[in-house]
Amino acid sequence: MRVNRSARVADVQGLAIAGPVVRRDRLSARRANLGAVLRLLRDEGPRARTRIADDTGLPRTTVVHLVAELLDGGLVAEGEPERDGALGRPALTVGIDGADVHGIGVEVNVDYLGLLALNLRGEVALERRTPFDVPRADPKATLDETARLVAAALRAVRARGGRTVGVTLATPGAVDVAAGVVGYAANIGWRGVRALARLREGLAGELPELFLQDRPPEPGMYPELYPEPDLYLENDAKLGALAEYVPASARGVRDLVYVTGQTGVGVGIIAGGRLVRGAAGHAGEIGHLPLVPSDQRCCCGRRDCWETTVGRGALLRYAADPADAVHDPSVDPAYRLAELRRRARAADARTLDALDRIAANLGPGLALLADVLNPRLMVLGGHFAYFGRYLTDKVAAAVGERVIAPRGGGCEIVPSGLGFAAAARGGALLALDAVYRDPIRAMAGRGV
Ligand SMILES: [Zn+2]
């Protein structure tokens, strides 16, 4: 049976917590029931219709109609037969499908733009990363280039007969999710940037046929047209945490901290299965705390900011002279870090010393997080992830020396398996969550 790695984001966002009583019409009841069936299959795995009825409390005849609708819409598929009790007749299981339903995450970071498209099964349909000097370009130019990247992905998905339900823009710094505004991102020099509005304008220029329609196309008439995808904005560390939470939650982890390894360093926090955003969305901005003495002035104008001692600039500075090719910003950071990893494996003394310094500098910040949040799992992303257990073992030792709780409070420290794609992947998952909230809209364009 296929392992279900599809999105499990709803519980992280807490979208389903109790709210005021809402009067339901027939359509909203259908939408809620379709969503309940889909979420059950996502969270608990494939099962036969009779079990879906038992598990949701919906009448069996209703479930038969709902499943038929989801099958028509391509969001579920029939799989292996399952016997209904010891004497029951075998019935086909139903599981999440949505191979042609996509979410896109696109990340703007200091030295690259990255994009990842996931389908509802959790399969990567598309992955792109291009070096880009974001602090030097103005935000408009950066967002126009981002729009071109997204437009090319939307076209590629469409060319394969797929459709995209949403696009999430990931940026560093403090973001206002509701307003679509990047409040302050020191590393890329953005302050008060209306990022989503600009991305939407850029996409309208790139894909006028997609955005000029005022209603969904009639089934079969304009097969190349689909409803406009929703646009979202979220902080890169929080999206990295969501991306890591999906596999971690499958093994029972509910408390997780994701540490970005970029030019800047921030954390995404999931506590008790909920993403911690804070009152204004700033939770996790640990990079500018004075945790380790530093001789480098930070991009925020202050000294002793933690990220000047653990960020990518620090690693490269410790590991190589300025003329060394690993400093070349026109080269994808993944290649530059692979070169440093090669040197570490070849026991190059300067590289190993640089990694030791990074591990030692990570200690105070991660110990602080371990003491305050007591996570079960700390995932080191970005450049930290390139050095595997070599770095994490030393980090774990540095943290263990400082944390007051026995055995570090039970916190495991591991490298991310997602590399520089973590934020974009989290963005794609967030975009796909719309399918579980409103399956009817996700099935538009299929004539459903
Ligand atoms: Zn700073």
Side-chain angles (χ1 to χ4, degrees):
M1 191 176 68
R2 181 166 49 82
V3 177
N4 184 14
R5 288 171 63 90
S6 52
R8 188 194 285 258
V9 181
D11 55 337
V12 200
Q13 288 188 293
L15 293 168
I17 58 173
V21 173
V22 179
R23 288 165 64 100
R24 279 192 174 166
D25 56 26
R26 198 175 282 258
L27 180 66
S28 64
R30 186 171 130 238
R31 179 179 290 126
N33 289 341
L34 287 166
V37 172
L38 271 187
R39 285 192 296 276
L40 172 74
L41 298 177
R42 174 189 67 182
D43 297 342
E44 307 289 334
R47 63 206 53 218
R49 290 167 179 77
T50 48
R51 275 179 67 203
I52 294 173
D54 292 346
D55 294 340
T56 57
L58 292 166
R60 289 188 184 196
T61 50
T62 303
V63 168
V64 168
H65 287 300
L66 293 171
V67 168
E69 192 172 343
L70 293 169
L71 280 168
D72 278 349
L75 298 184
V76 301
E78 287 182 322
E80 302 294 312
E82 177 184 73
R83 195 170 289 279
D84 184 14
L87 300 172
R89 287 186 300 138
L92 292 180
T93 58
V94 177
I96 294 288
D97 187 34
D100 59 353
V101 178
H102 297 77
I104 289 177
V106 64
E107 180 187 12
V108 170
N109 220 307
V110 175
D111 47 8
Y112 68 86
L113 306 176
L115 179 143
L116 190 137
L118 276 183
N119 68 16
L120 200 63
R121 290 178 175 177
E123 298 162 341
V124 176
L126 208 63
E127 189 173 353
R128 300 271 184 275
R129 193 170 52 248
T130 177
F132 196 85
D133 191 345
V134 174
R136 282 216 180 154
D138 70 36
K140 178 179 175 303
T142 300
L143 288 163
D144 284 351
E145 184 60 28
T146 306
R148 279 191 279 279
L149 204 61
V150 173
L154 290 170
R155 287 197 182 97
V157 167
R158 247 191 292 170
R160 297 179 200 170
R163 59 196 189 281
T164 302
V165 294
V167 178
T168 304
L169 174 65
T171 74
V175 303
D176 183 335
V177 171
V181 172
V182 177
Y184 181 44
N187 282 300
I188 54 174
W190 287 15
R191 195 185 282 276
V193 173
R194 295 171 58 245
L196 277 197
R198 184 61 230 169
L199 181 62
R200 188 173 282 112
E201 285 167 24
L203 282 173
E206 288 289 320
L207 293 167
E209 77 278 16
L210 192 75
F211 286 79
L212 287 177
Q213 41 176 336
D214 56 4
R215 62 188 168 80
E218 290 177 37
M221 281 194 66
Y222 304 102
E224 77 279 17
L225 298 182
Y226 294 114
E228 178 181 335
D230 290 323
L231 300 184
Y232 310 92
L233 173 68
E234 185 52 281
N235 163 272
D236 60 345
K238 293 180 179 67
L239 292 172
L242 289 184
E244 289 291 348
Y245 184 70
V246 171
S249 67
R251 57 187 184 95
V253 171
R254 290 288 177 272
D255 298 271
L256 175 151
V257 170
Y258 173 80
V259 186
T260 65
Q262 298 285 359
T263 301
V265 174
V267 301
I269 301 158
I270 289 172
R274 302 282 294 268
L275 180 66
V276 177
R277 302 199 74 264
H282 296 208
E285 286 291 315
I286 191 177
H288 301 278
L289 286 180
L291 297 172
V292 178
S294 169
D295 56 3
Q296 296 288 314
R297 184 173 290 279
C298 181
C299 58
C300 73
R302 294 184 292 191
R303 288 198 182 274
D304 289 344
C305 288
W306 188 46
E307 66 184 38
T308 65
T309 69
V310 295
R312 191 141 71 248
L315 171 64
L316 296 174
R317 198 169 63 245
Y318 297 158
D321 292 330
D324 195 300
V326 297
H327 287 282
D328 184 352
S330 67
V331 177
D332 186 341
Y335 291 113
R336 294 187 273 147
L337 290 163
E339 167 59 19
L340 281 188
R341 181 170 56 198
R342 188 193 64 73
R343 293 180 195 178
R345 285 178 179 160
D348 174 66
R350 179 154 177 188
T351 308
L352 295 177
D353 179 61
L355 291 171
D356 282 353
R357 287 180 73 183
I358 293 291
N361 294 346
L362 276 169
L366 300 191
L368 177 78
L369 291 163
D371 270 336
V372 172
L373 298 165
N374 187 204
R376 168 73 187 76
L377 190 65
M378 236 186 253
V379 185
L380 305 185
H383 57 260
F384 304 126
Y386 275 76
F387 303 98
R389 301 246 44 115
Y390 178 83
L391 186 61
T392 51
D393 285 351
K394 291 187 173 165
V395 169
V399 172
E401 284 170 16
R402 292 170 179 269
V403 173
I404 192 74
R407 297 181 303 284
C411 177
E412 186 186 357
I413 299 177
V414 299
S416 170
L418 303 176
F420 285 109
R425 188 186 184 91
L429 288 168
L430 184 70
L432 279 170
D433 203 48
V435 176
Y436 297 93
R437 293 196 303 273
D438 187 355
I440 294 172
R441 185 160 190 270
M443 292 187 284
R446 296 272 301 215
V448 177

